[in-house]
PDB file of all heavy atoms in Angstrom:
ATOM      1  N   GLU E 327      10.136 -10.054  -1.489  1.00  0.00           N
ATOM      2  CA  GLU E 327      10.479 -11.121  -2.431  1.00  0.00           C
ATOM      3  C   GLU E 327      11.606 -10.687  -3.365  1.00  0.00           C
ATOM      4  O   GLU E 327      12.560 -11.437  -3.614  1.00  0.00           O
ATOM      5  CB  GLU E 327       9.258 -11.514  -3.267  1.00  0.00           C
ATOM      6  CG  GLU E 327       9.548 -12.652  -4.223  1.00  0.00           C
ATOM      7  CD  GLU E 327       8.503 -12.823  -5.308  1.00  0.00           C
ATOM      8  OE1 GLU E 327       7.725 -11.880  -5.548  1.00  0.00           O
ATOM      9  OE2 GLU E 327       8.481 -13.885  -5.934  1.00  0.00           O
ATOM     10  N   GLU E 328      11.510  -9.468  -3.849  1.00  0.00           N
ATOM     11  CA  GLU E 328      12.531  -8.955  -4.777  1.00  0.00           C
ATOM     12  C   GLU E 328      13.902  -8.911  -4.108  1.00  0.00           C
ATOM     13  O   GLU E 328      14.912  -9.305  -4.708  1.00  0.00           O
ATOM     14  CB  GLU E 328      12.125  -7.559  -5.257  1.00  0.00           C
ATOM     15  CG  GLU E 328      13.071  -6.959  -6.275  1.00  0.00           C
ATOM     16  CD  GLU E 328      12.636  -5.590  -6.740  1.00  0.00           C
ATOM     17  OE1 GLU E 328      11.553  -5.125  -6.328  1.00  0.00           O
ATOM     18  OE2 GLU E 328      13.389  -4.968  -7.513  1.00  0.00           O
ATOM     19  N   ASP E 329      13.951  -8.437  -2.853  1.00  0.00           N
ATOM     20  CA  ASP E 329      15.229  -8.371  -2.142  1.00  0.00           C
ATOM     21  C   ASP E 329      15.807  -9.764  -1.909  1.00  0.00           C
ATOM     22  O   ASP E 329      17.021  -9.969  -2.021  1.00  0.00           O
ATOM     23  CB  ASP E 329      15.055  -7.646  -0.802  1.00  0.00           C
ATOM     24  CG  ASP E 329      15.602  -6.225  -0.838  1.00  0.00           C
ATOM     25  OD1 ASP E 329      16.401  -5.913  -1.741  1.00  0.00           O
ATOM     26  OD2 ASP E 329      15.253  -5.432   0.043  1.00  0.00           O
ATOM     27  N   CYS E 330      14.952 -10.703  -1.569  1.00  0.00           N
ATOM     28  CA  CYS E 330      15.428 -12.076  -1.351  1.00  0.00           C
ATOM     29  C   CYS E 330      16.019 -12.662  -2.621  1.00  0.00           C
ATOM     30  O   CYS E 330      17.054 -13.344  -2.587  1.00  0.00           O
ATOM     31  CB  CYS E 330      14.296 -12.955  -0.841  1.00  0.00           C
ATOM     32  SG  CYS E 330      13.774 -12.570   0.851  1.00  0.00           S
ATOM     33  N   SER E 331      15.368 -12.405  -3.740  1.00  0.00           N
ATOM     34  CA  SER E 331      15.882 -12.918  -5.016  1.00  0.00           C
ATOM     35  C   SER E 331      17.250 -12.307  -5.332  1.00  0.00           C
ATOM     36  O   SER E 331      18.154 -12.996  -5.825  1.00  0.00           O
ATOM     37  CB  SER E 331      14.893 -12.619  -6.146  1.00  0.00           C
ATOM     38  OG  SER E 331      13.691 -13.343  -5.958  1.00  0.00           O
ATOM     39  N   LYS E 332      17.411 -11.020  -5.032  1.00  0.00           N
ATOM     40  CA  LYS E 332      18.707 -10.373  -5.248  1.00  0.00           C
ATOM     41  C   LYS E 332      19.759 -10.945  -4.307  1.00  0.00           C
ATOM     42  O   LYS E 332      20.917 -11.156  -4.694  1.00  0.00           O
ATOM     43  CB  LYS E 332      18.576  -8.862  -5.055  1.00  0.00           C
ATOM     44  CG  LYS E 332      17.813  -8.168  -6.166  1.00  0.00           C
ATOM     45  CD  LYS E 332      17.724  -6.678  -5.946  1.00  0.00           C
ATOM     46  CE  LYS E 332      16.996  -5.993  -7.101  1.00  0.00           C
ATOM     47  NZ  LYS E 332      16.887  -4.538  -6.904  1.00  0.00           N
ATOM     48  N   ALA E 333      19.366 -11.186  -3.055  1.00  0.00           N
ATOM     49  CA  ALA E 333      20.289 -11.777  -2.086  1.00  0.00           C
ATOM     50  C   ALA E 333      20.774 -13.146  -2.556  1.00  0.00           C
ATOM     51  O   ALA E 333      21.956 -13.475  -2.444  1.00  0.00           O
ATOM     52  CB  ALA E 333      19.615 -11.883  -0.723  1.00  0.00           C
ATOM     53  N   LEU E 334      19.858 -13.937  -3.092  1.00  0.00           N
ATOM     54  CA  LEU E 334      20.205 -15.289  -3.537  1.00  0.00           C
ATOM     55  C   LEU E 334      21.023 -15.274  -4.821  1.00  0.00           C
ATOM     56  O   LEU E 334      21.835 -16.173  -5.057  1.00  0.00           O
ATOM     57  CB  LEU E 334      18.931 -16.118  -3.712  1.00  0.00           C
ATOM     58  CG  LEU E 334      18.245 -16.470  -2.385  1.00  0.00           C
ATOM     59  CD1 LEU E 334      16.839 -16.972  -2.623  1.00  0.00           C
ATOM     60  CD2 LEU E 334      19.068 -17.515  -1.635  1.00  0.00           C
ATOM     61  N   ALA E 335      20.820 -14.271  -5.657  1.00  0.00           N
ATOM     62  CA  ALA E 335      21.651 -14.139  -6.853  1.00  0.00           C
ATOM     63  C   ALA E 335      23.104 -13.857  -6.471  1.00  0.00           C
ATOM     64  O   ALA E 335      24.036 -14.296  -7.139  1.00  0.00           O
ATOM     65  CB  ALA E 335      21.119 -13.020  -7.742  1.00  0.00           C
ATOM     66  N   LEU E 336      23.282 -13.140  -5.361  1.00  0.00           N
ATOM     67  CA  LEU E 336      24.619 -12.816  -4.874  1.00  0.00           C
ATOM     68  C   LEU E 336      25.240 -13.963  -4.085  1.00  0.00           C
ATOM     69  O   LEU E 336      26.450 -14.160  -4.095  1.00  0.00           O
ATOM     70  CB  LEU E 336      24.561 -11.564  -3.994  1.00  0.00           C
ATOM     71  CG  LEU E 336      24.278 -10.252  -4.731  1.00  0.00           C
ATOM     72  CD1 LEU E 336      23.729  -9.207  -3.768  1.00  0.00           C
ATOM     73  CD2 LEU E 336      25.550  -9.743  -5.408  1.00  0.00           C
ATOM     74  N   ASN E 337      24.383 -14.714  -3.388  1.00  0.00           N
ATOM     75  CA  ASN E 337      24.856 -15.839  -2.583  1.00  0.00           C
ATOM     76  C   ASN E 337      23.772 -16.896  -2.500  1.00  0.00           C
ATOM     77  O   ASN E 337      22.886 -16.822  -1.642  1.00  0.00           O
ATOM     78  CB  ASN E 337      25.246 -15.373  -1.171  1.00  0.00           C
ATOM     79  CG  ASN E 337      25.696 -16.534  -0.296  1.00  0.00           C
ATOM     80  OD1 ASN E 337      25.987 -17.630  -0.788  1.00  0.00           O
ATOM     81  ND2 ASN E 337      25.749 -16.303   1.010  1.00  0.00           N
ATOM     82  N   PRO E 338      23.805 -17.888  -3.383  1.00  0.00           N
ATOM     83  CA  PRO E 338      22.754 -18.924  -3.408  1.00  0.00           C
ATOM     84  C   PRO E 338      22.643 -19.722  -2.109  1.00  0.00           C
ATOM     85  O   PRO E 338      21.633 -20.390  -1.889  1.00  0.00           O
ATOM     86  CB  PRO E 338      23.188 -19.830  -4.569  1.00  0.00           C
ATOM     87  CG  PRO E 338      24.070 -18.978  -5.408  1.00  0.00           C
ATOM     88  CD  PRO E 338      24.790 -18.068  -4.465  1.00  0.00           C
ATOM     89  N   LYS E 339      23.659 -19.638  -1.256  1.00  0.00           N
ATOM     90  CA  LYS E 339      23.634 -20.384   0.004  1.00  0.00           C
ATOM     91  C   LYS E 339      23.063 -19.574   1.166  1.00  0.00           C
ATOM     92  O   LYS E 339      23.122 -20.005   2.323  1.00  0.00           O
ATOM     93  CB  LYS E 339      25.051 -20.858   0.345  1.00  0.00           C
ATOM     94  CG  LYS E 339      25.607 -21.873  -0.641  1.00  0.00           C
ATOM     95  CD  LYS E 339      26.993 -22.347  -0.230  1.00  0.00           C
ATOM     96  CE  LYS E 339      27.533 -23.381  -1.205  1.00  0.00           C
ATOM     97  NZ  LYS E 339      28.879 -23.863  -0.821  1.00  0.00           N
ATOM     98  N   ASN E 340      22.499 -18.405   0.873  1.00  0.00           N
ATOM     99  CA  ASN E 340      21.899 -17.567   1.917  1.00  0.00           C
ATOM    100  C   ASN E 340      20.537 -18.161   2.295  1.00  0.00           C
ATOM    101  O   ASN E 340      19.507 -17.828   1.724  1.00  0.00           O
ATOM    102  CB  ASN E 340      21.744 -16.132   1.403  1.00  0.00           C
ATOM    103  CG  ASN E 340      21.314 -15.159   2.490  1.00  0.00           C
ATOM    104  OD1 ASN E 340      20.680 -15.544   3.477  1.00  0.00           O
ATOM    105  ND2 ASN E 340      21.643 -13.891   2.309  1.00  0.00           N
ATOM    106  N   THR E 341      20.553 -19.050   3.282  1.00  0.00           N
ATOM    107  CA  THR E 341      19.347 -19.786   3.666  1.00  0.00           C
ATOM    108  C   THR E 341      18.268 -18.868   4.228  1.00  0.00           C
ATOM    109  O   THR E 341      17.072 -19.095   4.014  1.00  0.00           O
ATOM    110  CB  THR E 341      19.695 -20.873   4.702  1.00  0.00           C
ATOM    111  OG1 THR E 341      20.735 -21.695   4.173  1.00  0.00           O
ATOM    112  CG2 THR E 341      18.497 -21.740   5.018  1.00  0.00           C
TER     113      THR E 341
END
Side-chain angles (χ1 to χ4, degrees):
E327 182 195 18
E328 183 179 356
D329 256 342
C330 290
S331 294
K332 288 181 178 180
L334 290 166
L336 290 159
N337 178 15
K339 294 182 179 180
N340 188 334
T341 306

